[in-house]
Amino acid sequence: MLIVEDNPHIIEMYAYVLKKLASGELAGKVPLEVHFAPDGHHALALLHEQRFSLVMTDLYMPVMDGFALVERIREEEKLRNIPIIAISAGGKEAQDRAMQLGVDIFLRKPVRFVEVLETVKQLLHIGK
């Protein structure tokens, strides 16, 4: 799983939530490896180096924002089927644009632990 976020405090929260999921409900049955990228440019480089089961991205970041990242992922044959969660403080306009670009799920910041956990479980088909 790849998380693209430029705010270190938010990264800490995601890391905590996902570790909790990995040690709790997954209990080592499903390996949940989490990688982080500070922007879309770094994220694309990682996506070309290895396979990811899920991308969770902020939309507003420096260098390459989440909108451009989603667009690039959906354009590339070998990346286009990766589920994408977009998390943003942006309003309806940001949500509409993200969904048009091909985001699977849009969550509005501030997100709750439970929301992130349930969304990741849903997209990775955990506990079904």
Side-chain angles (χ1 to χ4, degrees):
M1 171 173 188
L2 178 61
I3 296 177
V4 192
E5 171 63 63
D6 62 324
N7 182 325
H9 300 297
I10 294 175
I11 288 171
E12 270 178 45
M13 187 207 51
Y14 292 158
Y16 174 79
V17 167
L18 296 164
K19 277 188 194 123
K20 199 171 159 62
L21 175 63
S23 64
E25 292 181 48
L26 300 182
K29 292 190 291 273
V30 182
L32 187 64
E33 204 175 297
V34 182
H35 296 263
F36 295 95
D39 58 61
H41 183 72
H42 283 89
L44 270 180
L46 283 170
L47 285 162
H48 289 134
E49 286 171 18
Q50 61 193 98
R51 291 181 55 89
F52 290 96
S53 54
L54 178 66
V55 171
M56 187 157 69
T57 185
D58 187 11
L59 293 176
Y60 297 102
M61 298 174 290
V63 187
M64 179 194 288
D65 68 16
F67 296 109
L69 175 63
V70 171
E71 206 168 4
R72 297 280 295 275
I73 289 171
R74 292 303 182 232
E75 283 171 357
E76 288 194 39
E77 185 68 41
K78 80 174 221 212
L79 303 178
R80 92 166 33 122
N81 294 321
I82 299 172
I84 302 173
I85 302 170
I87 301 182
S88 178
K92 181 96 176 85
E93 195 179 306
Q95 180 175 359
D96 291 347
R97 184 172 168 211
M99 297 307 277
Q100 282 171 349
L101 290 172
V103 162
D104 293 277
I105 294 181
F106 181 93
L107 298 176
R108 186 160 283 121
K109 284 182 182 177
V111 291
R112 297 186 338 271
F113 260 24
V114 173
E115 239 181 326
V116 173
L117 210 51
E118 290 306 314
T119 303
V120 168
K121 281 167 50 180
Q122 178 189 338
L123 287 177
L124 294 180
H125 309 291
I126 295 167
K128 298 267 185 258

